[in-house]
PDB file of all heavy atoms in Angstrom:
ATOM      1  N   ASP A 209       7.525 -36.225  35.262  1.00  0.00           N
ATOM      2  CA  ASP A 209       6.176 -36.659  34.939  1.00  0.00           C
ATOM      3  C   ASP A 209       5.382 -36.782  36.230  1.00  0.00           C
ATOM      4  O   ASP A 209       5.918 -36.663  37.333  1.00  0.00           O
ATOM      5  CB  ASP A 209       6.162 -37.984  34.151  1.00  0.00           C
ATOM      6  CG  ASP A 209       7.042 -39.062  34.774  1.00  0.00           C
ATOM      7  OD1 ASP A 209       7.416 -38.920  35.951  1.00  0.00           O
ATOM      8  OD2 ASP A 209       7.349 -40.056  34.096  1.00  0.00           O
ATOM      9  N   VAL A 210       4.097 -37.017  36.089  1.00  0.00           N
ATOM     10  CA  VAL A 210       3.210 -37.200  37.229  1.00  0.00           C
ATOM     11  C   VAL A 210       2.086 -38.128  36.789  1.00  0.00           C
ATOM     12  O   VAL A 210       1.769 -38.196  35.594  1.00  0.00           O
ATOM     13  CB  VAL A 210       2.665 -35.844  37.746  1.00  0.00           C
ATOM     14  CG1 VAL A 210       1.766 -35.195  36.717  1.00  0.00           C
ATOM     15  CG2 VAL A 210       1.942 -36.005  39.070  1.00  0.00           C
ATOM     16  N   PHE A 211       1.531 -38.858  37.729  1.00  0.00           N
ATOM     17  CA  PHE A 211       0.517 -39.860  37.416  1.00  0.00           C
ATOM     18  C   PHE A 211      -0.766 -39.557  38.181  1.00  0.00           C
ATOM     19  O   PHE A 211      -0.737 -39.008  39.281  1.00  0.00           O
ATOM     20  CB  PHE A 211       1.002 -41.258  37.789  1.00  0.00           C
ATOM     21  CG  PHE A 211       2.243 -41.687  37.055  1.00  0.00           C
ATOM     22  CD1 PHE A 211       3.499 -41.287  37.493  1.00  0.00           C
ATOM     23  CD2 PHE A 211       2.165 -42.500  35.936  1.00  0.00           C
ATOM     24  CE1 PHE A 211       4.650 -41.678  36.822  1.00  0.00           C
ATOM     25  CE2 PHE A 211       3.311 -42.894  35.260  1.00  0.00           C
ATOM     26  CZ  PHE A 211       4.550 -42.481  35.708  1.00  0.00           C
ATOM     27  N   ALA A 212      -1.878 -39.940  37.583  1.00  0.00           N
ATOM     28  CA  ALA A 212      -3.170 -39.839  38.251  1.00  0.00           C
ATOM     29  C   ALA A 212      -3.865 -41.192  38.157  1.00  0.00           C
ATOM     30  O   ALA A 212      -4.106 -41.694  37.058  1.00  0.00           O
ATOM     31  CB  ALA A 212      -4.038 -38.756  37.613  1.00  0.00           C
ATOM     32  N   LEU A 213      -4.141 -41.790  39.311  1.00  0.00           N
ATOM     33  CA  LEU A 213      -4.888 -43.040  39.351  1.00  0.00           C
ATOM     34  C   LEU A 213      -6.375 -42.734  39.262  1.00  0.00           C
ATOM     35  O   LEU A 213      -6.871 -41.835  39.944  1.00  0.00           O
ATOM     36  CB  LEU A 213      -4.598 -43.797  40.643  1.00  0.00           C
ATOM     37  CG  LEU A 213      -3.166 -44.284  40.880  1.00  0.00           C
ATOM     38  CD1 LEU A 213      -3.079 -45.026  42.202  1.00  0.00           C
ATOM     39  CD2 LEU A 213      -2.711 -45.178  39.743  1.00  0.00           C
ATOM     40  N   VAL A 214      -7.072 -43.479  38.430  1.00  0.00           N
ATOM     41  CA  VAL A 214      -8.518 -43.314  38.295  1.00  0.00           C
ATOM     42  C   VAL A 214      -9.183 -44.263  39.284  1.00  0.00           C
ATOM     43  O   VAL A 214      -9.055 -45.488  39.169  1.00  0.00           O
ATOM     44  CB  VAL A 214      -8.976 -43.609  36.855  1.00  0.00           C
ATOM     45  CG1 VAL A 214     -10.482 -43.467  36.751  1.00  0.00           C
ATOM     46  CG2 VAL A 214      -8.274 -42.666  35.886  1.00  0.00           C
ATOM     47  N   LYS A 215      -9.889 -43.702  40.250  1.00  0.00           N
ATOM     48  CA  LYS A 215     -10.522 -44.499  41.300  1.00  0.00           C
ATOM     49  C   LYS A 215     -12.018 -44.248  41.328  1.00  0.00           C
ATOM     50  O   LYS A 215     -12.526 -43.333  40.694  1.00  0.00           O
ATOM     51  CB  LYS A 215      -9.909 -44.164  42.670  1.00  0.00           C
ATOM     52  CG  LYS A 215      -8.441 -44.538  42.810  1.00  0.00           C
ATOM     53  CD  LYS A 215      -7.949 -44.258  44.220  1.00  0.00           C
ATOM     54  CE  LYS A 215      -6.522 -44.760  44.419  1.00  0.00           C
ATOM     55  NZ  LYS A 215      -6.064 -44.533  45.823  1.00  0.00           N
ATOM     56  N   ARG A 216     -12.702 -45.072  42.116  1.00  0.00           N
ATOM     57  CA  ARG A 216     -14.144 -44.926  42.310  1.00  0.00           C
ATOM     58  C   ARG A 216     -14.450 -44.887  43.801  1.00  0.00           C
ATOM     59  O   ARG A 216     -13.770 -45.527  44.596  1.00  0.00           O
ATOM     60  CB  ARG A 216     -14.902 -46.089  41.663  1.00  0.00           C
ATOM     61  CG  ARG A 216     -14.749 -46.150  40.152  1.00  0.00           C
ATOM     62  CD  ARG A 216     -15.503 -45.026  39.460  1.00  0.00           C
ATOM     63  NE  ARG A 216     -15.210 -44.985  38.032  1.00  0.00           N
ATOM     64  CZ  ARG A 216     -15.779 -44.138  37.194  1.00  0.00           C
ATOM     65  NH1 ARG A 216     -16.664 -43.256  37.639  1.00  0.00           N
ATOM     66  NH2 ARG A 216     -15.477 -44.147  35.910  1.00  0.00           N
ATOM     67  N   ALA A 217     -15.464 -44.115  44.161  1.00  0.00           N
ATOM     68  CA  ALA A 217     -15.868 -43.979  45.553  1.00  0.00           C
ATOM     69  C   ALA A 217     -17.381 -44.076  45.658  1.00  0.00           C
ATOM     70  O   ALA A 217     -18.101 -44.032  44.653  1.00  0.00           O
ATOM     71  CB  ALA A 217     -15.372 -42.653  46.121  1.00  0.00           C
ATOM     72  N   GLN A 218     -17.861 -44.202  46.878  1.00  0.00           N
ATOM     73  CA  GLN A 218     -19.300 -44.272  47.105  1.00  0.00           C
ATOM     74  C   GLN A 218     -19.947 -42.928  46.768  1.00  0.00           C
ATOM     75  O   GLN A 218     -19.379 -41.877  47.025  1.00  0.00           O
ATOM     76  CB  GLN A 218     -19.588 -44.625  48.570  1.00  0.00           C
ATOM     77  CG  GLN A 218     -19.195 -46.042  48.950  1.00  0.00           C
ATOM     78  CD  GLN A 218     -20.061 -47.091  48.272  1.00  0.00           C
ATOM     79  OE1 GLN A 218     -21.226 -46.838  47.969  1.00  0.00           O
ATOM     80  NE2 GLN A 218     -19.501 -48.272  48.034  1.00  0.00           N
ATOM     81  N   VAL A 219     -21.123 -42.985  46.192  1.00  0.00           N
ATOM     82  CA  VAL A 219     -21.863 -41.763  45.874  1.00  0.00           C
ATOM     83  C   VAL A 219     -22.851 -41.453  46.989  1.00  0.00           C
ATOM     84  O   VAL A 219     -23.241 -42.336  47.763  1.00  0.00           O
ATOM     85  CB  VAL A 219     -22.608 -41.887  44.527  1.00  0.00           C
ATOM     86  CG1 VAL A 219     -21.636 -42.139  43.399  1.00  0.00           C
ATOM     87  CG2 VAL A 219     -23.643 -43.009  44.599  1.00  0.00           C
ATOM     88  N   CYS A 220     -23.238 -40.178  47.080  1.00  0.00           N
ATOM     89  CA  CYS A 220     -24.221 -39.731  48.051  1.00  0.00           C
ATOM     90  C   CYS A 220     -24.923 -38.519  47.448  1.00  0.00           C
ATOM     91  O   CYS A 220     -24.501 -38.020  46.395  1.00  0.00           O
ATOM     92  CB  CYS A 220     -23.556 -39.392  49.389  1.00  0.00           C
ATOM     93  SG  CYS A 220     -22.454 -37.963  49.323  1.00  0.00           S
ATOM     94  N   PRO A 221     -25.975 -38.012  48.064  1.00  0.00           N
ATOM     95  CA  PRO A 221     -26.688 -36.875  47.472  1.00  0.00           C
ATOM     96  C   PRO A 221     -25.806 -35.666  47.176  1.00  0.00           C
ATOM     97  O   PRO A 221     -26.015 -34.978  46.172  1.00  0.00           O
ATOM     98  CB  PRO A 221     -27.749 -36.548  48.533  1.00  0.00           C
ATOM     99  CG  PRO A 221     -28.015 -37.859  49.195  1.00  0.00           C
ATOM    100  CD  PRO A 221     -26.690 -38.566  49.235  1.00  0.00           C
ATOM    101  N   LEU A 222     -24.810 -35.397  48.026  1.00  0.00           N
ATOM    102  CA  LEU A 222     -23.935 -34.250  47.787  1.00  0.00           C
ATOM    103  C   LEU A 222     -22.819 -34.568  46.796  1.00  0.00           C
ATOM    104  O   LEU A 222     -22.247 -33.659  46.195  1.00  0.00           O
ATOM    105  CB  LEU A 222     -23.325 -33.777  49.108  1.00  0.00           C
ATOM    106  CG  LEU A 222     -24.278 -33.104  50.094  1.00  0.00           C
ATOM    107  CD1 LEU A 222     -23.541 -32.732  51.378  1.00  0.00           C
ATOM    108  CD2 LEU A 222     -24.925 -31.868  49.484  1.00  0.00           C
ATOM    109  N   LEU A 223     -22.493 -35.851  46.653  1.00  0.00           N
ATOM    110  CA  LEU A 223     -21.418 -36.275  45.739  1.00  0.00           C
ATOM    111  C   LEU A 223     -22.001 -37.331  44.798  1.00  0.00           C
ATOM    112  O   LEU A 223     -21.817 -38.530  44.999  1.00  0.00           O
ATOM    113  CB  LEU A 223     -20.235 -36.838  46.530  1.00  0.00           C
ATOM    114  CG  LEU A 223     -19.651 -35.935  47.619  1.00  0.00           C
ATOM    115  CD1 LEU A 223     -18.607 -36.682  48.434  1.00  0.00           C
ATOM    116  CD2 LEU A 223     -19.048 -34.673  47.007  1.00  0.00           C
ATOM    117  N   PRO A 224     -22.707 -36.893  43.754  1.00  0.00           N
ATOM    118  CA  PRO A 224     -23.448 -37.838  42.914  1.00  0.00           C
ATOM    119  C   PRO A 224     -22.603 -38.651  41.947  1.00  0.00           C
ATOM    120  O   PRO A 224     -23.113 -39.571  41.310  1.00  0.00           O
ATOM    121  CB  PRO A 224     -24.411 -36.929  42.148  1.00  0.00           C
ATOM    122  CG  PRO A 224     -23.697 -35.610  42.070  1.00  0.00           C
ATOM    123  CD  PRO A 224     -22.931 -35.489  43.341  1.00  0.00           C
ATOM    124  N   TYR A 225     -21.310 -38.319  41.804  1.00  0.00           N
ATOM    125  CA  TYR A 225     -20.455 -39.040  40.861  1.00  0.00           C
ATOM    126  C   TYR A 225     -19.324 -39.749  41.595  1.00  0.00           C
ATOM    127  O   TYR A 225     -18.730 -39.202  42.526  1.00  0.00           O
ATOM    128  CB  TYR A 225     -19.897 -38.080  39.809  1.00  0.00           C
ATOM    129  CG  TYR A 225     -20.984 -37.477  38.946  1.00  0.00           C
ATOM    130  CD1 TYR A 225     -21.406 -36.163  39.130  1.00  0.00           C
ATOM    131  CD2 TYR A 225     -21.610 -38.236  37.964  1.00  0.00           C
ATOM    132  CE1 TYR A 225     -22.422 -35.624  38.352  1.00  0.00           C
ATOM    133  CE2 TYR A 225     -22.628 -37.715  37.186  1.00  0.00           C
ATOM    134  CZ  TYR A 225     -23.034 -36.401  37.387  1.00  0.00           C
ATOM    135  OH  TYR A 225     -24.050 -35.880  36.632  1.00  0.00           O
ATOM    136  N   SER A 226     -19.002 -40.964  41.157  1.00  0.00           N
ATOM    137  CA  SER A 226     -18.041 -41.803  41.872  1.00  0.00           C
ATOM    138  C   SER A 226     -16.593 -41.567  41.452  1.00  0.00           C
ATOM    139  O   SER A 226     -15.673 -42.016  42.139  1.00  0.00           O
ATOM    140  CB  SER A 226     -18.387 -43.276  41.658  1.00  0.00           C
ATOM    141  OG  SER A 226     -18.277 -43.622  40.281  1.00  0.00           O
ATOM    142  N   LEU A 227     -16.360 -40.880  40.339  1.00  0.00           N
ATOM    143  CA  LEU A 227     -15.008 -40.717  39.814  1.00  0.00           C
ATOM    144  C   LEU A 227     -14.128 -39.901  40.756  1.00  0.00           C
ATOM    145  O   LEU A 227     -14.509 -38.816  41.203  1.00  0.00           O
ATOM    146  CB  LEU A 227     -15.056 -40.024  38.446  1.00  0.00           C
ATOM    147  CG  LEU A 227     -13.708 -39.704  37.802  1.00  0.00           C
ATOM    148  CD1 LEU A 227     -12.932 -40.972  37.497  1.00  0.00           C
ATOM    149  CD2 LEU A 227     -13.905 -38.877  36.536  1.00  0.00           C
ATOM    150  N   ARG A 228     -12.934 -40.434  41.066  1.00  0.00           N
ATOM    151  CA  ARG A 228     -11.934 -39.722  41.849  1.00  0.00           C
ATOM    152  C   ARG A 228     -10.577 -39.876  41.155  1.00  0.00           C
ATOM    153  O   ARG A 228     -10.280 -40.919  40.585  1.00  0.00           O
ATOM    154  CB  ARG A 228     -11.827 -40.275  43.273  1.00  0.00           C
ATOM    155  CG  ARG A 228     -13.113 -40.273  44.075  1.00  0.00           C
ATOM    156  CD  ARG A 228     -13.554 -38.877  44.483  1.00  0.00           C
ATOM    157  NE  ARG A 228     -14.707 -38.942  45.369  1.00  0.00           N
ATOM    158  CZ  ARG A 228     -15.969 -39.005  44.959  1.00  0.00           C
ATOM    159  NH1 ARG A 228     -16.242 -39.031  43.665  1.00  0.00           N
ATOM    160  NH2 ARG A 228     -16.967 -39.065  45.831  1.00  0.00           N
ATOM    161  N   LEU A 229      -9.769 -38.828  41.244  1.00  0.00           N
ATOM    162  CA  LEU A 229      -8.407 -38.869  40.716  1.00  0.00           C
ATOM    163  C   LEU A 229      -7.424 -38.789  41.877  1.00  0.00           C
ATOM    164  O   LEU A 229      -7.555 -37.920  42.741  1.00  0.00           O
ATOM    165  CB  LEU A 229      -8.156 -37.706  39.749  1.00  0.00           C
ATOM    166  CG  LEU A 229      -9.018 -37.687  38.487  1.00  0.00           C
ATOM    167  CD1 LEU A 229      -8.706 -36.456  37.656  1.00  0.00           C
ATOM    168  CD2 LEU A 229      -8.830 -38.958  37.673  1.00  0.00           C
ATOM    169  N   HIS A 230      -6.468 -39.693  41.908  1.00  0.00           N
ATOM    170  CA  HIS A 230      -5.450 -39.731  42.959  1.00  0.00           C
ATOM    171  C   HIS A 230      -4.096 -39.447  42.327  1.00  0.00           C
ATOM    172  O   HIS A 230      -3.559 -40.275  41.593  1.00  0.00           O
ATOM    173  CB  HIS A 230      -5.439 -41.098  43.639  1.00  0.00           C
ATOM    174  CG  HIS A 230      -4.602 -41.151  44.875  1.00  0.00           C
ATOM    175  ND1 HIS A 230      -4.720 -42.147  45.822  1.00  0.00           N
ATOM    176  CD2 HIS A 230      -3.628 -40.313  45.336  1.00  0.00           C
ATOM    177  CE1 HIS A 230      -3.859 -41.922  46.791  1.00  0.00           C
ATOM    178  NE2 HIS A 230      -3.183 -40.825  46.506  1.00  0.00           N
ATOM    179  N   LEU A 231      -3.555 -38.260  42.589  1.00  0.00           N
ATOM    180  CA  LEU A 231      -2.273 -37.874  41.998  1.00  0.00           C
ATOM    181  C   LEU A 231      -1.127 -38.609  42.698  1.00  0.00           C
ATOM    182  O   LEU A 231      -1.067 -38.657  43.926  1.00  0.00           O
ATOM    183  CB  LEU A 231      -2.068 -36.365  42.099  1.00  0.00           C
ATOM    184  CG  LEU A 231      -3.109 -35.498  41.380  1.00  0.00           C
ATOM    185  CD1 LEU A 231      -2.723 -34.026  41.460  1.00  0.00           C
ATOM    186  CD2 LEU A 231      -3.264 -35.929  39.933  1.00  0.00           C
ATOM    187  N   ILE A 232      -0.226 -39.168  41.890  1.00  0.00           N
ATOM    188  CA  ILE A 232       0.909 -39.942  42.391  1.00  0.00           C
ATOM    189  C   ILE A 232       2.200 -39.287  41.925  1.00  0.00           C
ATOM    190  O   ILE A 232       2.366 -39.007  40.731  1.00  0.00           O
ATOM    191  CB  ILE A 232       0.854 -41.398  41.873  1.00  0.00           C
ATOM    192  CG1 ILE A 232      -0.418 -42.094  42.361  1.00  0.00           C
ATOM    193  CG2 ILE A 232       2.087 -42.176  42.324  1.00  0.00           C
ATOM    194  CD1 ILE A 232      -0.498 -42.302  43.838  1.00  0.00           C
TER     195      ILE A 232
END
């Protein structure tokens, strides 16, 4: 199996969405 942590990051004009996935 494999896991993905749902994280949030700062937004900026080039990255307008905060959603990030961290594979574990």
Side-chain angles (χ1 to χ4, degrees):
D209 48 16
V210 66
F211 299 82
L213 296 181
V214 178
K215 295 184 174 182
R216 296 289 172 177
Q218 291 292 331
V219 300
C220 66
L222 290 178
L223 306 173
Y225 296 104
S226 63
L227 176 63
R228 303 289 186 274
L229 297 178
H230 190 163
L231 299 185
I232 299 294

